[in-house]
Amino acid sequence: MSNTRHSYQRDNDTRYLSATHEVTNQPAPLENYNLYQQDIALREAVRREGAGFADQDLDRFGAWAGDARTIELGHQANASKPVFRTHDRYGHRIDEVSFHPAYHELMGVALENGLHSSPWTNPGAGAQVARAARYYMHSQVEAAHCCPVTMTFAAIPSIQKQPDLARLWAPKILANHYDSRNVPHSDKTAVTIGMAMTEKQGGSDVRANTTRAYATGHEGPGQAYELVGHKWFVSAPMCDAFLVLAQTQTGLSCFLMPRWRPDGSKNPWQIQQLKNKMGNVANASSEVELRGALAWMVGEEGRGVRTIIEMVAMTRFDCMIGSSAGMRQAVAQASHHCRHRSAFGARLSDQPLMQNVLADLIIENEAALAYTMRVARALDNQNDEHQRLLARLATPVGKYWICKRTPNHAYEAMECIGGSGVMEDSIMPRLFRESPVNAIWEGSGNVQCLDTLRAIHKEPDTLDAFFTEAAEARGTDRRFDQFLKALQHDFADLSNAQYRARNLVDRMALAMQGSLLLRFGDKHIADAFCASRLQAGGGLNYGNLPSGTNPAAIIKRATPEVG
Ligand SMILES: Cc1cc2nc3c(=O)[nH]c(=O)nc-3n(C[C@H](O)[C@H](O)[C@H](O)COP(=O)(O)OP(=O)(O)OC[C@H]3O[C@@H](n4cnc5c(N)ncnc54)[C@H](O)[C@@H]3O)c2cc1C
């Protein structure tokens, strides 16, 4: 009897002891929410910049992007890096990179939704804006695969420089579906396009390229050449064709190089190895050797940079969208977390110091988005001279500024979440690892600043257009007026401009962002932007909004509601 009672008590105690704790004070994952519905700034920008017609479509896309299964695809695509095989088991050279199925699924959704095509197939008011909004949401799910989506999209203006090639290729580039098969492009109705400019001895300075092009018959635009040389960075190497820079006797020229020859044999474009990247890992980047790869000249001989720069300009625009999107996802995660997490007896999002940090991060994101969507509208209206000049200058300025503001933004958002933000099963490490990439590729920071100066030098009207646009907010805020006046004054003397270029470009970006927010933005955000970015006296880190701003209103606006 006593034995029975003893064992009964022990069982009870064990059960009691094994229940160590209840999990509390942990936010639910941010999933099953609509990325469009829950993003007030995005919806406002879409309507303001002329894409209100796309509202319903964006709403549907936003629901897909916030679905738990979609979010999981982003994690899966990054969990296993692409794998490269040089040869098959019989010894044939295959140059095949395989990706996780989730990568292909995301590519499929991107292309089915025209992220690579819609402004070209349905141009007109709001086309770039609507596409930018979709890309903004898509990139929040997974940024790495957006690289080939962007390159395919951006290739069109360059390929159109060679109408005979464009007739053959454009219909397949613009087809709204995805064919991942490793088969000749002639067997496909949809293709993707990459770019190969960078070589070991020079990335920014592509004129140092040593890859040579030898005509197989006639020389000149549209003619066939064989390319011999190497490329040091080629992303998405399973694209069906690439725009490649190579030297002819006349100089650096642009070529379209498919992975297969017309007879169905493999073009001798051999991948040497994949890059071991810190970020952008779901997507492969490679080192390649060209051993007589057949390619066709695009555009004028010796004017390869001029031809491919059309593509580069569009990829730079997408870098702005991608980095703004990274900021939005960081802000959504941080504000969601702080809303559902308490410390020292109060919700984090109600505590003054955290409010300052969160609101500051939100302001940065809204400023980036407003700027990006304004450039999208300029791209939609390239027949208007003001918009053309504006897009020319606002693209390098914005690419430089927005991409460069992102890494510290990603890190601060991660810190808002605390230790869990460092864990690989959250999206925060991925946002952080992705954050420097846009700043470096497609022309690194200094190169964007130099391009800004080049544009002003070659076409001084670009600067007039930029300042005319920014000045539309003049008279609405004293701090803005003073900031703009001082900046314009500094442009009066461009001596030593290269040395001062970062300072000038930083301030151009701030002036345009301030102008857009004052004219069209939320009034609390515009006020805090002017107080923290246009007025001297702030510190350098996020969380430096001065007293008198309204962080609670800013946070409420940006925090997604789930469930
Ligand atoms: C993940 C990834 C994927 C990539 N994919 C591709 C691809 O698909 N195709 C492709 O062609 N390339 C690709 N690149 C290459 C990329 O475009 C180059 O790395 C970039 O253009 C810089 O070139 P670089 O690495 O040779 O650096 P460099 O040109 O040596 O530049 C080094 C630094 O010097 C600065 N600099 C250069 N010139 C000046 C100057 N005159 N004054 C002041 N500063 C200057 C630059 O801003 C940079 O900060 C990729 C890069 C990365 C990281």
Side-chain angles (χ1 to χ4, degrees), residues 147 151 195-205 232-236 277 279-280 285 437 440-447 450 498 502:
C147 164
M151 292 192 293
M195 72 203 298
M197 301 185 292
T198 310
E199 297 186 4
K200 289 168 189 150
Q201 70 285 351
S204 310
D205 185 8
W232 182 227
F233 281 89
V234 181
S235 289
K277 296 184 285 184
N280 201 252
S285 300
V437 179
I440 292 173
W441 66 16
E442 305 304 341
S444 311
N446 287 354
V447 170
L450 295 174
Q498 278 201 22
R502 280 201 178 207

Side-chain angles (χ1 to χ4, degrees), residues 169 172 183-189 191 240-241 258-262:
W169 283 87
K172 292 188 182 187
V183 298
H185 57 274
S186 48
D187 293 352
K188 293 187 174 189
T189 53
V191 297
D240 297 283
R259 279 199 301 113
W260 303 84
R261 290 179 167 238

Side-chain angles (χ1 to χ4, degrees), residues 77-82 99 142 144 276-284 430 433-434:
N78 282 275
S80 35
K81 290 189 175 186
F99 299 84
E142 205 293 303
N276 189 7
K277 296 184 285 184
M278 66 156 276
N280 201 252
V281 298
N283 176 39
R430 176 144 53 92
R433 282 198 305 269
E434 210 68 42

